[in-house]
């Protein structure tokens, strides 16, 4: 498979991740996120990591830099958001804003590779 295939799969996984985060984070007040939303969240995370590693492996010139470590950090925080909301550590709307900021940061890191 080509690196372009993995890139498309990575973006599709990102779209799926934010769809699942919306379902998980915006559940009605006082209710836990549905099991299907959490399952979709896990599948999206798996698709993103497999496709991301595929892109990294297929692209010859891409080396593991600090920008990639920061991008993995964004991915880990996006993975933890529904749990932090469920435990009451993070308010829902703050988690939504944080998810948007983390997603935008991950895209910026991938596009510009600043460090």
């Amino acid at each position: 498979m080509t690196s372009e295939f993995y890139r498309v799969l990575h973006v599709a996984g990102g779209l799926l991740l934010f769809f699942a985060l919306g379902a998980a984070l915006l559940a009605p007040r006082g209710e836990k996120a549905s099991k299907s939303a959490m399952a979709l969240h896990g599948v999206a995370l798996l698709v993103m990591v497999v496709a991301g590693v595929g892109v990294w492996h297929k692209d010859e010139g891409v080396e593991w830099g600090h920008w990639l470590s920061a991008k993995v950090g964004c991915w880990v925080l996006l993975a933890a958001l529904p749990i932090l909301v469920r435990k009451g550590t993070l308010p829902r709307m703050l988690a939504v804003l944080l998810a948007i900021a983390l997603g935008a940061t991950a895209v910026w890191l991938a596009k510009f590779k600043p460090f």
Side-chain angles (χ1 to χ4, degrees):
M1 291 183 237
T2 65
S3 64
E4 289 304 315
F5 171 79
Y6 284 117
R7 275 194 182 88
V8 170
L9 192 60
H10 191 68
V11 170
L15 291 171
L16 187 62
L17 176 67
F18 278 89
F19 178 77
L21 276 171
L25 295 178
L26 298 177
R29 202 171 283 290
E31 293 182 23
K32 292 192 328 189
S34 69
K35 290 185 188 239
S36 58
M38 293 306 291
L40 196 58
H41 181 255
V43 168
L45 289 167
L46 182 64
V47 167
M48 285 192 72
V49 76
V50 167
V53 169
V55 170
W56 180 59
H57 183 263
K58 289 289 183 178
D59 279 351
E60 302 268 333
V62 178
E63 294 183 21
W64 190 281
H66 295 296
W67 68 272
L68 195 50
S69 297
K71 193 168 177 201
V72 169
C74 290
W75 181 83
V76 168
L77 289 173
L78 284 168
L81 279 179
I83 297 161
L84 294 173
V85 169
R86 186 180 341 165
K87 298 280 185 190
T89 307
L90 212 60
R92 286 179 194 264
M93 288 313 294
L94 181 59
V96 169
L97 293 174
L98 189 57
I100 293 167
L102 286 168
T105 301
V107 170
W108 177 77
L109 287 166
K111 176 73 178 160
F112 295 107
K113 299 173 184 53
F115 43 84

